[in-house]
């Protein structure tokens, strides 16, 4: 790795004048360890959706990088996030992926906690000679927990800015796709979860946003046949759309030119009046002209809403998907994928949205398999010392400056194909990595 004194030489690793990035940032163990400390232990991380735990006592268990947490709705209806480690000896308290509980009982010696994380009993309270401080021995809560539009985030950093400030302009786009009716969105099933042998940044960069890969990677007939808009219209959209950067968060809203708009492509007509009631005029216009959106909230929450015609019926369905790129070391990530639809949608429509989401971008989704193949090959190739010593190119980022003709918030670039927004994600990565 390129070093300056004891610290990696971050400017050499992410070289801004040349827009080249050392391939070691995708494979190096020491860089991965620093990422956990400087990015994942500081940033706000997505841990779940409020509709997964609607009632007091409902919980899901999740990871925040190397740490395991319980996301639980307490007796006061508040969502709390605790380390899933018993305060006695550190044993994993909650073993299920999700469920409902009145109490959490550690399987080792039976320490028992209520749904707000308070220690109720050790089972042997009398043995502490009156010195047992139950208040201090509750499950350890993460430093801050907050929600935006049903999305639950947590951070280990007590000094972190508020969630609203952290998300910044990304709130506008998250609301456009995941908070666009009075009832908000609901998850349609427990999330799918699988391990991908690739670095987490491959996913974050791809969704935030690698637009050049669409045709080369997904050119096979199966993926292209699933698109809900005619391929010609999608090509027109690629040339007519902006990409947007927001302090390392990224999105692209692939909008059709005015003469080719398929209004609300893949969205149910019954829901359109609800969008009109909830969204601002600018958000509504983006949603109306959109055929696919992707985005990434730094570091590792991504979304995608493609309009897909999985039934080959001529009627597209736009499935809303949220996903997390959870690092498991430099060479692997755990991918968790949620499928969501509007609370007000009919059960029949929700089922179609779920099927479209799973078949496009589920564990064995048609697009997913294409993407995972190329991402994981970077890790395979760059384990080699020679390949690792080379750099990755983002040079098309150099030739495009921000434009001011896009109505939504953030720094917009046109068109969506150069690597501008992806490279800005790496700039944010570097800024955080160089801050001990
Ligand atoms: Fe949990 Fe002992 S480790 S009760
Ligand atoms: Fe892809």
């Amino acid at each position: 790795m390129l070093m300056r004194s004891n610290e990696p030489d971050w400017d050499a690793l992410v070289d801004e004048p040349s827009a080249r990035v050392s391939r070691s940032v995708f494979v190096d163990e020491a860089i991965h360890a620093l990422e956990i400390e400087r990015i994942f232990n500081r940033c706000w991380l997505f841990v779940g959706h409020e509709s997964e735990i609607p009632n007091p006592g409902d919980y899901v268990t999740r990871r925040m990088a190397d740490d395991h947490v319980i996301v639980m709705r307490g007796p006061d209806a508040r969502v709390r996030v605790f380390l899933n480690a018993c305060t006695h000896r550190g044993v994993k308290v909650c073993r299920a992926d999700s469920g409902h509980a009145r109490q959490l009982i550690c399987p080792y010696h039976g320490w028992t906690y209520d749904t707000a994380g308070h220690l109720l009993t050790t089972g042997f309270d009398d043995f502490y000679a009156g010195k047992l401080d139950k208040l201090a021995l509750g499950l350890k809560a993460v430093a801050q927990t907050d929600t935006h539009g049903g999305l639950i985030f947590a951070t280990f950093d007590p000094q972190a800015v508020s969630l609203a400030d952290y998300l910044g302009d990304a709130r506008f786009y998250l609301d456009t796709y995941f908070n666009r009716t009075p009832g908000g969105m609901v998850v349609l099933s427990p999330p799918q979860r699988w391990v991908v042998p690739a670095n987490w940044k491959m996913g974050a960069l791809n969704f935030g946003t690698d637009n050049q890969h669409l045709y080369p990677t997904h050119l096979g007939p199966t993926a292209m046949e699933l698109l809900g808009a005619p391929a010609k219209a999608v090509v027109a959209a690629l040339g007519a759309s902006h990409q947007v950067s927001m302090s390392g968060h990224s999105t692209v809203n692939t909008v059709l030119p005015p003469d080719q708009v398929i209004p609300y492509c893949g969205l149910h007509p019954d829901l359109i009046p609800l969008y009109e009631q909830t969204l601002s005029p600018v958000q509504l216009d983006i949603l109306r002209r959109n055929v696919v959106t992707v985005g990434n909230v730094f570091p590792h929450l991504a979304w995608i809403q493609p309009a897909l015609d999985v039934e080959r019926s001529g009627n597209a369905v736009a499935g809303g998907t949220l996903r997390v790129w959870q690092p498991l070391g430099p060479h692997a990530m755990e991918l968790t994928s949620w499928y969501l639809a509007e609370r007000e949608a009919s059960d029949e429509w929700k089922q179609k949205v779920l099927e479209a989401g799973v078949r496009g971008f589920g564990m064995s989704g048609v697009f997913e398999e294409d993407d995972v193949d190329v991402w994981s090959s970077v890790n395979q190739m760059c384990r080699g010392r020679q390949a690792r010593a080379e750099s990755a190119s983002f040079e098309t980022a150099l030739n495009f400056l921000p434009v001011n003709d896009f109505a939504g918030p953030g720094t917009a670039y046109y068109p969506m194909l150069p690597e501008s927004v992806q490279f800005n994600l790496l700039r944010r990565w570097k800024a955080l990595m160089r801050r001990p």
Side-chain angles (χ1 to χ4, degrees), residues 4 49 59 96 102 127 219 228 244 270 276 294 307 372 378 421 436:
R4 181 184 284 170
H49 193 270
Y59 67 84
R102 280 178 293 126
F127 295 175
L219 192 61
V244 180
D270 289 355
E276 291 168 345
V294 292
V372 164
V378 170
V421 167

Side-chain angles (χ1 to χ4, degrees), residues 68-83:
H68 294 251
V69 296
I70 308 169
V71 182
M72 187 155 215
R73 197 174 287 279
D76 52 0
R78 229 181 91 194
V79 177
R80 294 176 177 82
V81 181
F82 311 111
L83 292 183

Side-chain angles (χ1 to χ4, degrees), residues 38-108:
R38 299 181 182 180
I39 291 180
F40 288 91
N41 281 346
R42 280 181 180 160
C43 290
W44 283 92
L45 304 178
F46 179 73
V47 292
H49 193 270
E50 287 210 67
S51 63
E52 293 182 271
I53 48 170
N55 301 307
D58 291 349
Y59 67 84
V60 290
T61 52
R62 295 280 144 80
R63 295 181 70 122
M64 290 173 68
D66 290 348
D67 282 289
H68 294 251
V69 296
I70 308 169
V71 182
M72 187 155 215
R73 197 174 287 279
D76 52 0
R78 229 181 91 194
V79 177
R80 294 176 177 82
V81 181
F82 311 111
L83 292 183
N84 194 0
C86 177
T87 49
H88 184 211
R89 302 265 185 88
V91 165
K92 186 175 187 181
V93 176
C94 188
R95 305 300 177 101
D97 282 351
S98 63
H100 176 87
R102 280 178 293 126
Q103 296 176 335
L104 296 168
I105 303 173
C106 177
Y108 198 7

Side-chain angles (χ1 to χ4, degrees), residues 173-227:
Y173 302 98
L174 286 171
D175 288 344
T176 303
Y177 298 106
F178 294 97
N179 194 22
R180 59 194 179 194
T181 62
M185 302 292 260
V186 289
V187 295
L188 301 175
S189 69
Q192 287 188 307
R193 196 152 55 85
W194 66 101
V195 172
V196 172
N199 186 274
W200 69 274
K201 292 188 290 302
M202 292 305 300
L205 287 164
N206 192 90
F207 275 58
T209 58
D210 189 318
N211 303 311
Q212 294 179 7
H213 87 284
L214 180 61
Y215 275 90
T217 303
H218 301 297
L219 192 61
T222 322
M224 285 299 125
E225 264 181 31
L226 286 190
L227 290 179

Side-chain angles (χ1 to χ4, degrees), residues 70-374:
I70 308 169
V71 182
M72 187 155 215
R73 197 174 287 279
D76 52 0
R78 229 181 91 194
V79 177
R80 294 176 177 82
V81 181
F82 311 111
L83 292 183
N84 194 0
C86 177
T87 49
H88 184 211
R89 302 265 185 88
V91 165
K92 186 175 187 181
V93 176
C94 188
R95 305 300 177 101
D97 282 351
S98 63
H100 176 87
R102 280 178 293 126
Q103 296 176 335
L104 296 168
I105 303 173
C106 177
Y108 198 7
H109 311 96
W111 282 32
T112 302
Y113 307 88
D114 71 14
T115 56
H118 302 120
L119 177 65
L120 296 174
T121 177
T122 66
F124 303 98
D125 292 1
D126 293 347
F127 295 175
Y128 286 82
K131 292 180 191 148
L132 179 67
D133 184 358
K134 285 189 187 164
L135 268 184
L137 290 170
L139 289 172
K140 168 99 176 149
V142 302
Q144 300 189 60
T145 301
D146 202 354
T147 62
H148 177 81
L151 312 180
I152 307 169
F153 292 82
T155 174
F156 289 120
D157 183 0
Q159 315 289 337
V161 298
S162 70
L163 176 64
D165 285 350
Y166 181 84
L167 295 175
D169 289 335
R171 289 175 295 171
F172 173 95
Y173 302 98
L174 286 171
D175 288 344
T176 303
Y177 298 106
F178 294 97
N179 194 22
R180 59 194 179 194
T181 62
M185 302 292 260
V186 289
V187 295
L188 301 175
S189 69
Q192 287 188 307
R193 196 152 55 85
W194 66 101
V195 172
V196 172
N199 186 274
W200 69 274
K201 292 188 290 302
M202 292 305 300
L205 287 164
N206 192 90
F207 275 58
T209 58
D210 189 318
N211 303 311
Q212 294 179 7
H213 87 284
L214 180 61
Y215 275 90
T217 303
H218 301 297
L219 192 61
T222 322
M224 285 299 125
E225 264 181 31
L226 286 190
L227 290 179
K232 229 173 84 189
V234 176
V235 174
L238 293 177
S241 303
H242 293 76
Q243 50 179 324
V244 180
S245 188
M246 302 154 283
S247 302
H249 313 314
S250 335
T251 187
V252 64
N253 299 274
T254 314
V255 295
L256 292 170
D259 59 330
Q260 294 184 45
V261 166
I262 305 167
Y264 299 106
C265 185
L267 301 173
H268 198 286
D270 289 355
L271 299 169
I272 295 169
L274 300 177
Y275 305 148
E276 291 168 345
Q277 202 180 315
T278 311
L279 296 177
S280 73
V282 175
Q283 288 171 315
L284 198 62
D285 185 55
I286 290 174
L287 188 65
R288 187 178 65 84
R289 295 167 58 199
N290 186 58
V291 286
V292 55
T293 176
V294 292
N296 193 77
V297 174
F298 191 90
H300 76 345
L301 167 66
W303 76 82
I304 184 159
Q305 183 192 278
L308 299 178
D309 182 9
V310 292
E311 293 175 345
R312 313 287 205 279
S313 64
N315 296 312
V317 175
T321 297
L322 289 170
R323 49 171 45 196
V324 158
W325 324 105
Q326 199 73 253
L328 300 176
H331 299 295
M333 64 176 144
E334 183 185 73
L335 216 159
T336 309
S337 184
W338 291 258
Y339 309 98
L340 300 100
E342 295 81 354
R343 188 181 299 275
E344 297 90 340
S346 67
D347 289 345
E348 190 192 355
W349 186 251
K350 284 175 176 153
Q351 186 60 30
K352 282 180 190 289
V353 169
L354 178 59
E355 280 169 20
V358 170
R359 288 177 63 178
F361 287 90
M363 191 183 309
S364 54
V366 171
F367 286 86
E368 191 66 23
E369 293 196 345
D370 294 342
D371 286 328
V372 164
D373 177 75
V374 289

